[in-house]
Amino acid sequence: MDPLVAFLVSWFAVVGIVYAVNKNAVRYFVAIYWKTERLNRRIEGLVKRLSFVPLRAYLAVALVLALAPIFIAMPFVRPDGQVQALPGFLYMLIGGTVTAVQTLLSGAPVAEAASRSAGVTPIIPGVTLPWGQLPYLAVAIAVGVALHEFMHAYAALRYGIPLRHVGVFSFFYIISGAFVEPDEEAYKKSGVEAKAAVLASGVAANVALAFLAMLAGVAGAWAGLYGAVFGVSAFGVDAGDRVLEIRGCGLAERVYTPDDFITKINVLAGMGPLMGINKTAACKPGDEVTLVVGKWWGTYEVKLDYSNFTTPPRINWLFEDGSLYKSGVRPGDVVKAVEGCGVREEIRWGGQLLSTLLSLKKLCRPGDVIRVAVERNGTTVALNVTLVGKGGEVYYGLGPGSLPMLGYDAGPIKASEIYNTEFTKFVFWFLVVNYGLAVVNALPIYPLDGGQLVAALAQRRLGERRGQRLVNALSVVLAAMLIFNLALGVLGEQYRVLQMIR
């Protein structure tokens, strides 16, 4: 079924169920807005059962979880268990804005400025996001926003602030969530500690969900729920099955996503250096490569000759200031042999060409001459290549994609024909959505949670009027930066990354 059709069918099914239960909660069959006091009592009962948590300890944990991703760093746990750190988003926003503005003023294109910005991309279904990803996004938003609001309610009730209303809303899944309305007068009269707990709790909940998504990802990887799902039969793998692991030529690598699979088979093919990856595989035709493949009921192995993971030594493109282009090598040429600095190699595949050039880079110096034989229009042409230098070393003028890459230019399967598992998509969107909700809500922009928290602290120190002026000025500056980065994300087409999610 077409993803858009499935989306609409599921939406009207949900609306129909809600209408049957409470027709007043449905607005023109395109929106749901359900506000009730009955849910208040259930939340109050749940909060009572969770009231054993000491308030001071709860406040400390909530503040750490809420403020760390925005002001310090957000630990990021990869499926393979490796831990990285995302810098505090506020520093990314400010630094990215300054760098992007400087890049634009230098005359660089918008795409380059966008690549140096904070990397904020708006999620617009059908525009920046494929319709097929919307169900996963909708579930992540609904859960993330619901828990965000529940924790606001939890903190309010723990500090003696009653609730007025609790409800849920949705507009075609795209804008969905829940809301809690604490008693306004009681909230205003509460102390800074109570306000800090209420405001930090929602953000802390999203950070906690992001961490849970990461841990679920690690557990899922251990259980074999990740992998690259083949949309067509290729490499001896049946359509619909998942490649879980690649072994051969000194490599034994788990596979987690389609991009991960493409990267690792290109490392196997010897293309790692062109991708900025130092890891190489010592392979030659005749060597054996094993793919561990998963089905729903088990696994099987596919054993292949290494020749299945080689690419032709054809030049796709070159930097014009490099040795090869300056000496006459042109896109479309197929390199047949390389000789110089005591080395002579007959070239049969792309990875062999790249490894030979890298070997010569260590043996030769700028100014030396090597001979390169290429096949051009069915004729062999011998070229004397004078090596030029850049940064103190030999510079060939090769870049990413200068030689054919498996999954893009060569091989039995294209990158667009490999998909994530359903588990991977849910984990990905739970992580992205909850991290996004956390850092945006924690920004000191009024009336976001972070802005209200800064306002409470500023008004206590400076008085209500002066404190509010400070917060308003800060909000305008940061909101302008956020909007600027969002605009760059659209104009610079950074959303293409979202569109590549499969």
Side-chain angles (χ1 to χ4, degrees):
M1 183 183 293
D2 183 87
L4 178 57
V5 175
F7 164 75
L8 293 174
V9 169
S10 67
W11 167 256
F12 286 112
V14 170
V15 169
I17 294 171
V18 174
Y19 186 85
V21 177
N22 181 4
K23 63 180 181 181
N24 294 324
V26 176
R27 303 290 191 272
Y28 305 106
F29 288 91
V30 298
I32 297 171
Y33 182 81
W34 195 342
K35 183 166 67 173
T36 176
E37 293 183 1
R38 182 182 301 175
L39 192 56
N40 289 24
R41 294 190 292 273
R42 294 188 178 180
I43 290 179
E44 289 169 359
L46 183 57
V47 169
K48 286 180 180 178
R49 287 195 289 272
L50 297 174
S51 60
F52 59 87
V53 179
L55 278 181
R56 288 296 175 89
Y58 173 79
L59 176 61
V61 172
L63 286 173
V64 169
L65 287 176
L67 299 180
I70 195 81
F71 291 109
I72 305 174
M74 174 77 170
F76 177 73
V77 185
R78 293 172 35 173
D80 59 6
Q82 295 186 35
V83 180
Q84 299 173 326
L86 290 174
F89 184 74
L90 186 61
Y91 305 116
M92 292 171 60
L93 180 64
I94 296 172
T97 300
V98 172
T99 304
V101 169
Q102 291 174 339
T103 304
L104 289 173
L105 292 177
S106 70
V110 173
E112 183 176 342
S115 68
R116 301 182 180 183
S117 68
V120 182
T121 302
I123 297 176
I124 307 172
V127 180
T128 64
L129 179 74
W131 286 107
Q133 298 297 314
L134 192 55
Y136 311 98
L137 175 69
V139 172
I141 289 176
V143 174
V145 173
L147 188 60
H148 180 106
E149 295 299 330
F150 170 77
M151 294 310 297
H152 279 321
Y154 175 84
L157 292 172
R158 286 296 309 273
Y159 279 89
I161 303 171
L163 305 180
R164 290 181 59 199
H165 295 102
V166 177
V168 295
F169 63 90
S170 182
F171 175 76
F172 275 117
Y173 297 136
I174 300 171
I175 303 174
S176 301
F179 59 89
V180 171
E181 297 178 6
D183 184 84
E184 190 172 344
E185 288 301 317
Y187 178 75
K188 285 183 177 180
K189 292 177 181 178
S190 63
V192 173
E193 181 180 323
K195 289 177 180 176
V198 172
L199 294 168
S201 292
V203 175
N206 292 128
V207 174
L209 274 178
F211 278 126
L212 287 175
M214 294 180 208
L215 295 177
V218 174
W222 177 82
L225 298 178
Y226 277 99
V229 182
F230 277 35
V232 297
S233 296
F235 288 125
V237 179
D238 295 333
D241 291 350
R242 298 167 288 132
V243 174
L244 303 173
E245 191 174 348
I246 301 174
R247 302 173 189 158
C249 306
L251 292 180
E253 298 280 348
R254 297 284 295 273
V255 173
Y256 300 104
T257 64
D259 291 339
D260 194 32
F261 175 75
I262 292 296
T263 297
K264 285 169 179 173
I265 61 173
N266 276 292
V267 168
L268 196 65
M271 294 294 114
L274 288 186
M275 306 172 75
I277 300 172
N278 292 326
K279 187 179 293 185
T280 57
C283 291
K284 59 184 183 299
D287 289 345
E288 187 177 79
V289 175
T290 300
L291 301 181
V292 180
V293 186
K295 286 183 172 290
W296 289 114
W297 55 87
T299 62
Y300 61 92
E301 292 186 353
V302 176
K303 297 187 182 298
L304 301 165
D305 186 276
Y306 171 68
S307 59
N308 288 275
F309 299 93
T310 58
T311 59
R314 183 184 68 248
I315 302 296
N316 285 343
W317 69 273
L318 295 167
F319 287 110
E320 294 184 6
D321 59 345
S323 306
L324 295 174
Y325 191 90
K326 282 188 169 186
S327 298
V329 180
R330 292 293 180 264
D333 290 349
V334 178
V335 179
K336 307 300 288 185
V338 176
E339 181 180 0
C341 301
V343 173
R344 174 175 173 77
E345 285 284 347
E346 299 292 330
I347 305 300
R348 291 171 291 172
W349 67 92
Q352 182 192 15
L353 170 61
L354 187 57
S355 64
T356 300
L357 292 176
L358 291 176
S359 297
L360 289 175
K361 196 172 185 178
K362 298 176 182 178
L363 299 172
C364 301
R365 293 177 298 176
D368 289 345
V369 178
I370 63 173
R371 289 180 63 82
V372 176
V374 302
E375 184 179 284
R376 182 183 298 168
N377 299 323
T379 302
T380 299
V381 179
L383 301 168
N384 291 323
V385 176
T386 301
L387 301 177
V388 301
K390 189 174 185 179
E393 60 180 14
V394 171
Y395 176 57
Y396 295 111
L398 295 169
S402 285
L403 298 174
M405 309 287 283
L406 289 171
Y408 300 102
D409 314 289
I413 191 169
K414 296 179 180 179
S416 59
E417 297 172 328
I418 312 175
Y419 305 91
N420 283 295
T421 65
E422 300 300 307
F423 175 82
T424 305
K425 294 174 188 176
F426 274 113
V427 169
F428 174 82
W429 284 113
F430 262 88
L431 175 57
V432 169
V433 165
N434 282 284
Y435 172 72
L437 287 172
V439 297
V440 170
N441 276 290
L443 283 172
I445 298 175
Y446 197 86
L448 298 175
D449 294 339
Q452 292 190 56
L453 180 56
V454 171
L457 296 173
Q459 289 170 3
R460 182 180 181 183
R461 285 277 186 177
L462 305 175
E464 185 171 349
R465 183 174 297 179
R466 292 176 62 190
Q468 192 61 50
R469 285 178 181 173
L470 174 63
V471 172
N472 289 343
L474 185 63
S475 298
V476 169
V477 172
L478 292 177
M481 289 184 179
L482 187 61
I483 293 170
F484 172 72
N485 280 269
L486 283 167
L488 280 181
V490 175
L491 297 175
E493 297 188 346
Q494 286 186 306
Y495 59 82
R496 297 292 183 194
V497 176
L498 294 177
Q499 293 180 336
M500 292 172 64
I501 298 171
R502 302 177 293 280

